[in-house]
């Protein structure tokens, strides 16, 4: 059968051939009717694993005949591990997946019937060819992190809801002094594209998923972004391999602002040697229209049945996959506040 996936929208999906019979790679069903389902998820620390174990225990509390066995790997190694397991037919029944990666696994997933209670937009984002391939697990908005101490020292008003691109530019210029910069630029997709979207609504692809990198809004937004570095208001990445440049420069105190995901709030506050502030991205859309920020997330898909003949039903089809409670979803937002710096990566 196909395995379940969780993603940035983090999603949970069902994967084909996730296991079956009395005890295969993805799960097992015992003679007493108890079902064990393997759940694959990334985790960057022991604290994060403890959060995920808590979620697994909540499932058993609500469904005593279901046991969840957690599998984890650091985020940077997670998808390599996932690909290896799928190739070997050893994937878990429940697999965590970033929504932006869902398309690459579409052929390995079993369509789901979405239960009530999910926001329609979050479900639509996880459909392909009209099929519900996954269910949402969490949403992680992109935010602007700023150095509260630096803002206070420079006498610059702190960012707040409703602040504009003009406010951002003014602050970045005022904070660029003494060999340090007001903003840390990034080559990571979400970190850069989210700010371009907020600047003027620029989008790299159309609703039909066709590239439009040469569209006028994209040209204008990229020109503006590059101008931050040319104007000495931002720290420019040393090379294309420096995907997390802006966030790292911010943590090290060399950039006073940076764009990063909400999943790194805890680790950023822990690692920084200054007071960290968090604000929405600056608004700059035409005619006062503020575009929606991209929100990476995760989801759960359901495993599809394998074509191999089996004498017994697979554990993934033998029991309904329980829908996580709101408490459970909040407890396992990946990567969560306890994530290590190794999870600081592009979605």
């Amino acid at each position: 059968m196909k395995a379940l996936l969780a993603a940035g929208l983090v999603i949970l999906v069902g994967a084909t051939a996730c296991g079956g019979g009395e005890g295969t790679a993805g799960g097992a069903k015992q003679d007493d009717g108890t079902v064990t389902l393997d759940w694959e998820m990334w985790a960057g620390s022991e604290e994060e694993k403890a959060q995920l174990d808590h979620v697994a225990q909540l499932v058993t509390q609500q469904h005593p005949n279901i046991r969840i066995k957690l599998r984890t790997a650091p985020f940077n190694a997670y998808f390599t591990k996932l690909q290896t397991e799928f190739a070997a037919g050893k994937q878990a029944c429940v697999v965590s997946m970033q929504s932006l990666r869902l398309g690459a696994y579409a052929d390995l997933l079993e369509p789901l019937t979405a239960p009530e209670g999910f926001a329609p937009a979050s479900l639509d984002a996880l459909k392909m060819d009209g099929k519900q391939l996954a269910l949402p697990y969490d949403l992680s908005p992109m935010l602007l992190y700023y150095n509260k101490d630096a803002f206070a020292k420079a006498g610059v008003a702190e960012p707040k809801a409703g602040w504009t691109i003009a406010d951002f530019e003014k602050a970045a210029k005022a904070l660029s002094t003494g060999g340090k910069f007001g903003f840390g630029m990034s080559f990571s997709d979400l970190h850069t594209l989210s700010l371009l979207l907020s600047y003027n609504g620029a989008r790299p692809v159309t609703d039909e998923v066709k590239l439009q990198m040469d569209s006028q809004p994209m040209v204008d937004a990229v020109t503006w972004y590059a101008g931050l570095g040319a104007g000495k208001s931002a720290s420019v990445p040393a090379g294309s391999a420096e995907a997390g440049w802006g966030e790292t420069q911010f943590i090290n105190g060399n950039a006073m602002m940076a764009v990063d995901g909400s999943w790194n709030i805890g680790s950023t506050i822990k690692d920084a040697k200054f007071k960290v502030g968090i604000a929405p991205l600056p608004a700059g859309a035409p005619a006062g229209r503020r575009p929606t920020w991209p929100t990476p997330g995760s989801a759960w898909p359901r495993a599809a049945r394998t074509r191999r003949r089996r004498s017994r039903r697979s554990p993934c089809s033998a029991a309904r996959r329980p829908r996580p409670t709101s408490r459970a979803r909040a407890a396992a937002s990946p990567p969560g506040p306890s994530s290590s710096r190794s999870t600081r990566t592009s979605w």
Side-chain angles (χ1 to χ4, degrees):
M1 66 171 75
K2 295 185 179 179
L4 300 177
L5 300 175
L9 184 61
V10 173
I11 58 176
L12 291 183
V13 300
T16 57
C18 75
E22 298 181 350
T24 55
K29 181 179 180 181
Q30 308 301 324
D31 292 336
D32 62 0
T34 299
V35 174
T36 298
L37 301 177
D38 286 8
W39 172 23
E40 194 96 55
M41 183 62 176
W42 56 84
S45 66
E46 290 303 317
E47 291 84 356
E48 198 166 15
K49 291 179 183 179
Q51 292 178 357
L52 299 174
D53 276 326
H54 173 66
V55 175
Q57 293 168 14
L58 290 177
V59 173
T60 304
Q61 289 179 17
Q62 295 187 22
H63 305 272
N65 66 319
I66 299 177
R67 303 285 187 271
I68 302 298
K69 180 181 177 182
L70 180 65
R71 303 185 193 174
T72 64
F75 183 84
N76 290 341
Y78 179 80
F79 289 97
T80 299
K81 179 174 183 271
L82 201 62
Q83 292 171 4
T84 300
E85 290 178 343
F86 268 100
K90 297 182 178 180
Q91 63 270 28
C93 283
V94 181
V95 182
S96 304
M97 176 69 57
Q98 292 175 320
S99 59
L100 300 181
R101 301 176 188 258
L102 183 59
Y105 292 82
D107 293 340
L108 302 172
L109 308 176
E110 180 177 277
L112 300 169
T113 299
E116 296 181 358
F118 288 104
S122 67
L123 293 174
D124 290 343
L126 303 174
K127 289 181 179 178
M128 292 188 67
D129 298 326
K131 297 178 180 180
Q132 191 73 53
L133 294 183
L135 298 178
Y137 183 67
D138 72 3
L139 290 171
S140 301
M142 302 303 292
L143 303 168
L144 185 111
Y145 289 68
Y146 65 94
N147 185 324
K148 294 174 71 72
D149 295 341
F151 270 75
K153 183 177 180 179
V156 177
E158 292 187 16
K160 59 183 180 180
W163 74 312
T164 65
I165 288 292
D167 296 329
F168 167 76
E169 292 173 335
K170 183 178 179 180
K173 184 176 181 180
L175 293 165
S176 296
T177 182
K180 299 182 183 297
F181 295 89
F183 178 67
M185 300 176 70
S186 175
F187 285 153
S188 294
D189 48 8
L190 291 177
H191 300 69
T192 302
L193 294 176
S194 58
L195 192 55
L196 302 187
L197 177 65
S198 194
Y199 172 72
N200 67 350
R203 299 168 61 195
V205 296
T206 67
D207 290 338
E208 293 73 33
V209 197
K210 294 182 179 180
L211 281 175
Q212 55 176 5
M213 296 296 291
D214 58 349
S215 67
Q216 196 57 51
M218 278 298 297
V219 171
D220 292 343
V222 171
T223 300
W224 166 78
Y225 192 75
L228 295 174
K232 307 300 183 182
S233 294
S235 174
V236 180
S240 59
E242 300 285 351
W245 178 266
E247 312 95 280
T248 301
Q249 292 300 302
F250 176 75
I251 289 292
N252 292 339
N254 296 321
M256 305 306 112
M257 295 183 287
V259 174
D260 201 1
S262 60
W263 57 89
N264 273 328
I265 290 176
S267 57
T268 297
I269 292 175
K270 177 183 176 182
D271 294 343
K273 305 302 181 184
F274 49 84
K275 292 182 180 179
V276 176
I278 302 167
L281 302 186
R289 180 182 63 81
R290 187 167 192 166
T292 301
W293 307 325
T295 51
S298 323
W300 292 343
R302 178 178 178 177
R305 289 187 296 255
T306 179
R307 293 183 179 179
R308 284 178 9 195
R309 290 165 45 178
R310 302 191 184 279
S311 59
R312 305 186 63 175
R313 296 176 67 191
S314 159
C316 289
S317 59
R320 290 186 177 182
R321 179 182 47 74
R323 177 186 168 196
T325 64
S326 58
R327 179 184 178 192
R329 290 195 296 271
S333 176
S338 61
S339 299
S340 68
R341 306 310 298 176
S342 65
T343 61
R344 184 175 292 278
T345 185
S346 167
W347 281 8

